[in-house]
Amino acid sequence: MTKTITRTIVVEDLRKNYGELAAVDGVSFSVADGEFFGILGPNGAGKTTTLELIEGLRKPDGGRVSLLGENPWPRNAALLPRMGVQLQANSFFEKLTAREQLETFASLYGIGPAVAAEMLELVGLTDKADTREDKLSGGQRQRLSIACALVHQPDVVFLDEPTAALDPQARRNLWDVLRAIQGEGRTIVYTTHYLDEAEALCDRVAIMDHGRILALDAPATLVRGLDAPTQVSLLHGALTIADAGALPGADEVTDDGVTITIATRNPTPLLAALADRGALDGLSVRRATLEDVFLQLTGREYRA
Amino acid sequence: MTMTPSSGRGAATATPPTRSDTAPTAGANAFVSLSKAMFRGFFRDRVAVFFTFLFPLMFLVVFGLLFKDDSGGTVRIGVVGDGPVISALPADAVETQRYDTLDAALVDVRSGDLPAVVAEQGDQVTLRYAASDAATSATVRGLIAGVVSEVNLRATGQPPRVQLAADQVEDSSLNAIQYITPGLLSWSVATSAVFGSALTLVSWRRRQVLRRLRLSPVSPMTVLTSRLGVAFVVALLQAAVFVVLGVTPLFGLQLSGMWWLSIPLLAVGTLAFFAIGMLAGSFAKTEEAASAIANLVVLPMAFLSGTFFPIDSAPTWLKLVSNAFPLRHLNDGMLDVMVRGQGVGALVTPVAVLLGFTVVVGALAAFLFSWDDG
C-alpha cells in the first residue's frame, strides 16, 4: 500500500442530469477504507450513474468526487491501476476461455498470465478454466467478471449489480466470493436491488430512490431505527387469538387461517411464554427488514 | 507499479496463493496480449474465417475457371461438304461442326445457335453468317477469305510475294485470371478491413469492453494499433492464400517481378479501409447495422471500381466517379504491380489517395467516437 487512506471515497453533492431527468440529484457520502458499502434501490434510482461518476466514466454536472484522494474525471491514469471495476454487462473478449479472459485483462495492468489460475481459484472456477465465456452459466460469468476486476489487486472494487438475474444458489455462492474479497482488506462499493442481500453483506448501505439518498447507515441500525414490531408466527390452531393476545409482550394478533401472527416489540418474554406452553410448532420469527425501511421512507412497497 | 503485494489473501481459498509475477513492460505486454486475444477471437469465429478467406476464394474459382478459356480464341463454324478450304481451316482458331446440308446448318444460324456456316462443293465455297454479331461475322469473313486466298495461291504454284510475320504481343488487356486476382484480392482485403474494424468497435462498445478498457491503464493507442496489427496480418494471409492458389496450373496466375510491391500497397489499403470501418462503427449501434453500413459502402464501390470486371467500357462519367473510390486506386495499384510489372512509380497515386482517405476518414471517426452507447 502506498499510503493509508481512511476515507477511500468522498462524494459531495454529486449531480448528473440526463435532459430533464436528474439521475443523480445531490448525493453525498463517504466510504471508509476496507468498508463493504452498498448502494441500493429500485431500477432507475440512480445507482449505476452514481457508480459511473465515482469511477470517472462520466463527468459530474455538479458536486465533487474524491477517489483514493484523487479526482477520477477526466480519465485519471494514476487511479486506474488501483481500482477494479465490474460493469453491469459482462465485458468479455469474444470467444476466449475463462483463463484467456483473465490473462488478457491481467496484461492490461502489466501482470503476467500466472495470476489467472489464482483468480480462478478465488472465484471457484478452476474447473472451468478452458471453457469459453459464452458457454458459462450466468453465475459463473458473474464470478469470472468479478475475477477480471480483481486481477491487478485493486484497493477499491466497484461491482454493479453482480447478483442481478442469478438464481438463489448462484447468489449465495457469489456472496461467499464477495465476503472473501472484503476479507482481503479491499474496499467494496456495490449496487444491488436485493435488499436482503445488502443486509447480509454490507457494512453500511445507502438507500437511493429518484437520484437521492433516503437513508444511509448500517443495515441493522436502519432497521432498529424503524421501531417496527417483530412478527412471531405459529401454525394456525396452536393458540387461540384470545390466548395469544394475552401473552406477555403481544401487541397485536392476526390469524389468516393458515398462520397465527403475533406482533411484538418485546419478543423475549413472548418467546419464553410460548416455550413454557410448548407451543413452538412451526414457529418463525421475522424481524423488520430493509424492505420495511424502504416502505417507511418512500411510502410505497419496495419493487426491485 | 502501484501493485499491492499479497494482502491477507486466502480467506476464501484452501491454499493462500501468492502474488507471483508482474511484468515490467505493461504497454508492450498489453499490445501483444490484446493482439493475441483478437486473433483467437477471430480464428475461433467460423463465420468470420469463412467470409475472410473462403468466400473471396469462391469468387476466384468462379471467375477464374469460368473465363479461363474465354480469350476470344475459337469460333464455331458449321461446315457442309469438304474440300481444300475446309481442310485448311486453322484448328486453333476454329471449332467445326459438321452438317449434312446447307439448309440444315442455316436453320441453326437463323436461330442464333451457330455464328456461321461454310459449304464447299467443288470450286464453290459458300459462307453464310449471322447478321446479329458484327464482330464475330467479321472474324469469320476474314478467316475464310484468308484461307480461300491461301488455297488459291497454293493452286498457282507461285511463291508468295508478300510474307506476313505474325506473333502475339503481351498487351495490357489481361486475360481473366491476371485481371481478376488483383481485383478480388483488393476487394477482399478491403471488405475484411471494413467489417473487421466496424464489428469489433460496435461489439466492444455494446459488450462494454471499451468501457472496461477505458478503466484500465492501457492507452487507447495501444488498443487501436493492436487491432490494426491484426487487420494487417489478416490482409497478408488473404494475399498469401490468393496468390498460392492463383499460381497453381489450375488458375495459371503469373506474377510480375514487382509483385512484392503489393505488400506495402495492401498495408496502406488496409489502413484506409480500417478507417472507413471505424467510421461505420461510430455510426452503428448494433452489429447488424454495422454490417449493413459496411456492405453499403464496399459493394457498390467494388462494382464501380473494376473489381469483378473491367470498367474500361463504362461511360466516361462513371469512370470519373470511380476515381473517388479508394478501392479503385487500390485495385489499379494492385494490377500494376502484381501482374503488369510496373515499379514503385505505380504506387505513388494509389498510396497518396489511400493515405488521404485514411487521414480524413480516420479524423472523422475519431471525432464521432464514443466509449459507450449512453
Side-chain angles (χ1 to χ4, degrees), chain B residues 65-79:
Chain B
L65 297 185
L66 204 63
F67 300 134
K68 194 177 181 192
D69 300 320
D70 184 34
S71 48
T74 60
V75 184
R76 206 156 51 88
I77 298 179
V79 292

Side-chain angles (χ1 to χ4, degrees), chain B residues 262-276:
Chain B
S262 63
I263 294 174
L265 183 59
L266 280 180
V268 178
T270 304
L271 197 63
F273 285 95
F274 186 89
I276 291 175

